[in-house]
Amino acid sequence: MSGHYDVDAVRREFPAAERITYLDSGFQTPLARPVKAAIDRFLSEGLETAGPKSVWLDRVEQTREKLARFLGVSGDGIAFTKNTSESMNIAANALPLRAGDKVLMIHGDHPNNAYAFLNLRRKGVTVAFVPMTEIVNADSLRPYIDASTRAISISQVTFHAGHRFDIESIGALCAEKGLHFVVDVMQAIGVVPIDAKAMRATFIGSGSHKGLLVPQGLGLLYWDKSRAELEPTYLAAASLAEVPADLIARPDRLDPAPSARRFELGNFNLPAIHALDASLDMIEALGVENIQNHCFDLGDHLIARLDVLGVRLVGPRTRQHRAPHIYVIALPAAEWLGHFEENNVRVSPERDGIRVSFGMFNTIADVDRLIEVIQRRGVKPSSRAA
C-alpha cells in the first residue's frame, strides 16, 4: 500500500509490472488494462461495423475537453498532434520569428525541442543555449535576454536527469519582457500537476506515451488563444474556420479556425485518443498530486539506499528542484545496462548513467529489488559518491 492510494490495486492494472521490475516509465509506460480495453473497443467497432465515424469523432471532442480540464484550460485551446516533436515544430514555425531574432534554450535539454528552433536558422533566427545548472529559474535566464530575444523554449522536466525547472517564474519573466514562451511537458504530464494558465506559455507541447499511459503516436498542443495572430505553417480543410461543405477549395476562404484546431491536419490517431480518454480517467481517479507524492516517496527511498551504497545520484536531490519520478544513477550505462537486463530489471541508459523512472504502479519493493541487483554485481570506486 502507498500512503497516497492503493498502489497494489493500481499495480494489478499493469500486467508487465508483475513480470519484470519495470523502472522505465520515462521511456514508455507499460499498457494498463483499462487503456487496452479502450483500444479493444475501438478495434471491435471497426471490425464489426466498419467504424461509426461520427461516434468516434464525438469521442475525440469529449477527450479534447477532458484533456483541457486536466490542464486547467478550455477545449478550444487544445490541438491533437503526432508527438512532442511535431508540437514543438508547430510552435516554432507559428512564432513570428525573423532574421536577427534570438531564441533562448537550455543546453542539454531534449534535442527534438532544440531542433525545432535550430531549423529556423535557415531564416536567420539565432538559438542561444544557456548552461544547464541544478536550479533553472527566471534568474538563470534573465542575464541572457537582450534586445534581439523573442522567445524562450524549455522543458518543465528534463529527460536525462530529472531536473524540474521553475516554469512559472520563467513564464512571468517572459510576460514581463514580452517574449513568447514554449514549454515541453512530455516528462512531467501525468505525474507533475500542470496549470497551463499559470505557466503563461504561448504554446505547451507533449506526447502521451509516458505519464499519460498511451501507446506512442499521439501528442498534444496547447495554444494561448489570446495570441490570435499566430497562424499554422500548414493548412488543411480541417484547419479552417469554415470547412467547405462540398469540399471544394476556395482561395478566398482561408481563415484558420479560431480554436487550436487551426494547427491540426485532420485524420486523428483514433485508437490512441480512445486510449487517452481511458488513461485520463485512471489518472484523475488517483489524483496527479497523489501520483507525484507517491513517486517522491519512492525517490526518497532510492536516494537513501544509494547513499548507503555510496553511489552518486546525478541531478538534483531536493524535492523542490527534482522531478518526482526520474533519477539517474552514476553507474556507466555501457557497463551496467546488460547486468540489469540479465536480472529482469528494465531501466534506460542515459548520458550520465542509468536512468530509473517510476510510474504510478511502482513500489518500495521495486526500489529494493533494484538495489539488490546493484549489490549483487558490486560497485566500483569510480561510481561512489564524492
Side-chain angles (χ1 to χ4, degrees):
M1 289 286 289
S2 164
H4 308 285
Y5 54 84
D6 187 348
V7 69
D8 293 329
V10 171
R11 191 178 180 88
R12 287 193 289 272
E13 302 290 6
F14 293 86
E18 298 301 325
R19 295 177 172 84
I20 187 172
T21 303
Y22 196 91
L23 299 168
D24 204 15
S25 290
F27 171 73
Q28 166 78 60
T29 303
L31 197 62
R33 294 183 193 277
V35 177
K36 178 180 181 297
I39 298 172
D40 287 344
R41 176 190 182 190
F42 168 81
L43 294 176
S44 294
E45 289 172 343
L47 183 69
E48 296 165 6
T49 70
K53 186 173 182 179
S54 62
V55 175
W56 286 346
L57 293 179
D58 284 345
R59 290 179 191 154
V60 169
E61 297 312 313
Q62 292 163 10
T63 305
R64 190 194 305 272
E65 292 295 331
K66 187 178 291 186
L67 176 61
R69 290 193 300 273
F70 186 70
L71 297 176
V73 297
S74 60
D76 57 359
I78 297 293
F80 288 113
T81 66
K82 184 170 64 178
N83 50 40
T84 316
S85 299
E86 185 174 65
S87 296
M88 292 297 102
N89 274 273
I90 290 171
N93 284 280
L95 297 184
L97 299 174
R98 302 187 301 271
D101 290 345
K102 183 170 74 174
V103 179
L104 293 181
M105 308 190 76
I106 299 295
H107 178 73
D109 205 347
H110 200 284
N112 284 339
N113 187 0
Y115 287 134
F117 287 93
L118 287 170
N119 193 40
L120 299 180
R121 291 195 301 182
R122 70 190 192 282
K123 296 168 56 175
V125 175
T126 299
V127 177
F129 290 99
V130 175
M132 178 162 327
T133 51
E134 190 163 299
I135 299 171
V136 172
N137 55 26
D139 291 337
S140 308
L141 292 155
R142 188 181 295 274
Y144 296 89
I145 296 173
D146 59 24
S148 65
T149 306
R150 297 289 178 268
I152 294 174
S153 185
I154 192 172
S155 295
Q156 183 177 15
V157 167
T158 66
F159 75 101
H160 68 282
H163 300 78
R164 182 168 58 168
F165 299 147
D166 186 352
I167 292 298
E168 292 189 10
S169 78
I170 298 169
L173 173 65
C174 289
E176 172 194 333
K177 298 292 187 178
L179 308 179
H180 288 285
F181 188 32
V182 180
V183 185
D184 170 358
V185 299
M186 178 74 245
Q187 289 289 359
I189 194 166
V191 182
V192 176
I194 293 174
D195 183 341
K197 288 184 178 178
M199 288 184 184
R200 304 193 198 185
T202 306
F203 288 105
I204 297 172
S206 182
S208 60
H209 61 277
K210 303 182 192 294
L212 288 181
L213 316 179
V214 174
Q216 294 187 21
L218 178 66
L220 63 97
L221 181 72
Y222 161 75
W223 166 57
D224 177 359
K225 303 189 305 297
S226 71
R227 311 285 188 138
E229 74 281 6
L230 303 183
E231 296 186 350
T233 298
Y234 300 107
L235 198 64
S239 321
L240 298 174
E242 182 182 347
V243 180
D246 56 8
L247 294 183
I248 296 175
R250 290 175 171 78
D252 58 337
R253 298 183 184 178
L254 299 181
D255 291 340
S259 70
R261 187 166 55 81
R262 64 175 55 192
F263 299 109
E264 295 178 342
L265 293 177
N267 288 338
F268 300 103
N269 184 344
L270 292 173
I273 290 176
H274 280 68
L276 178 61
D277 182 71
S279 71
L280 287 171
D281 287 344
M282 287 186 68
I283 294 165
E284 291 186 318
L286 299 180
V288 177
E289 287 195 7
N290 288 329
I291 296 169
Q292 173 180 250
N293 290 332
H294 173 67
C295 290
F296 267 138
D297 290 348
L298 296 177
D300 289 343
H301 185 67
L302 173 63
I303 292 170
R305 294 297 310 269
L306 291 175
D307 286 348
V308 170
L309 287 182
V311 177
R312 183 171 60 87
L313 179 77
V314 178
R317 294 172 63 93
T318 65
R319 287 193 176 195
Q320 181 182 0
H321 301 299
R322 79 178 200 243
H325 56 304
I326 296 176
Y327 302 87
V328 172
I329 305 173
L331 298 173
E335 300 175 19
W336 280 85
L337 187 61
H339 175 69
F340 288 117
E341 290 174 346
E342 291 166 5
N343 285 276
N344 209 32
V345 176
R346 173 75 174 267
V347 291
S348 276
E350 277 301 340
R351 62 181 70 142
D352 295 314
I354 293 291
R355 185 182 68 186
V356 172
S357 49
F358 300 123
M360 60 171 67
F361 54 85
N362 285 119
T363 64
I364 292 292
D366 290 332
V367 177
D368 289 341
R369 174 92 207 293
L370 173 77
I371 295 298
E372 186 272 327
V373 169
I374 293 174
Q375 290 174 314
R376 184 181 303 170
R377 187 173 188 263
V379 181
K380 296 180 179 179
S382 60
S383 303
R384 293 186 181 275

